[in-house]
Amino acid sequence: MPDYLTLIQSKAFRVIPGIDYNRVSYELREKGEGSFLLYEIVIKENERWEYLRDYVYPRLVRYLKEKGLDPSSGEGVIVAVFFKEKVYFLRGVEFFKIFCEMEGLNFSAFHFRVLRWLSELPLQ
């Protein structure tokens, strides 16, 4: 199984020191192409993949649905992943590709996983 942190680092279109997050996120919103949602995730140093798989991804999917975006495409969202002292910016599509790669799914199978998440009650 690939290492999800390595995948996050490799798919990030921008990596910055965490201290610069507010300035950079402002610049992305002001100078970015089109509108998008910025979704923030904090990963603790010893966090296992199962945390993202079972908690983060389902919550992100439900959030996108609530905001009127396609919850299975990742279009229209940028995911900011905070890990240690850095922030990794990923396009939503790339963040969803990490899930597929980690779980050995194609995008069709991922879509069915999304439908299952949307039909379940959220975890508290």
Side-chain angles (χ1 to χ4, degrees):
M1 176 186 294
D3 174 31
Y4 78 92
L5 291 170
T6 301
L7 291 173
I8 287 171
Q9 293 165 349
S10 70
K11 294 187 183 298
F13 68 86
R14 188 157 182 192
V15 180
I16 62 166
I19 198 164
D20 294 334
Y21 176 73
N22 287 335
R23 178 184 54 79
V24 172
S25 64
Y26 174 79
E27 290 170 0
L28 283 172
R29 285 188 205 98
E30 292 300 310
K31 300 174 185 173
E33 299 173 18
S35 64
F36 60 87
L37 292 175
L38 188 58
Y39 192 82
E40 300 171 351
I41 298 169
V42 176
I43 299 177
K44 296 176 186 169
E45 192 164 345
N46 295 316
E47 203 72 72
R48 297 173 49 109
W49 163 247
E50 290 78 11
Y51 168 73
L52 271 75
R53 181 191 68 198
D54 300 336
Y55 184 75
V56 171
Y57 278 94
R59 289 179 72 101
L60 172 57
V61 162
R62 290 183 193 106
Y63 177 75
L64 295 178
K65 176 78 173 172
E66 289 172 10
K67 294 296 184 180
L69 296 174
D70 179 356
S72 61
S73 75
E75 294 291 330
V77 65
I78 292 177
V79 179
V81 179
F82 292 78
F83 180 68
K84 294 185 178 181
E85 295 85 29
K86 294 187 179 179
V87 181
Y88 301 86
F89 289 96
L90 295 91
R91 289 179 178 76
V93 173
E94 296 300 317
F95 192 67
F96 285 169
K97 284 180 183 178
I98 292 170
F99 187 92
C100 292
E101 192 166 336
M102 289 296 297
E103 294 295 305
L105 302 175
N106 61 30
F107 244 59
S108 293
F110 177 71
H111 175 73
F112 285 106
R113 182 74 59 100
V114 166
L115 293 176
R116 189 174 83 203
W117 288 332
L118 292 174
S119 70
E120 297 170 346
L121 291 175
L123 298 173
Q124 297 300 322

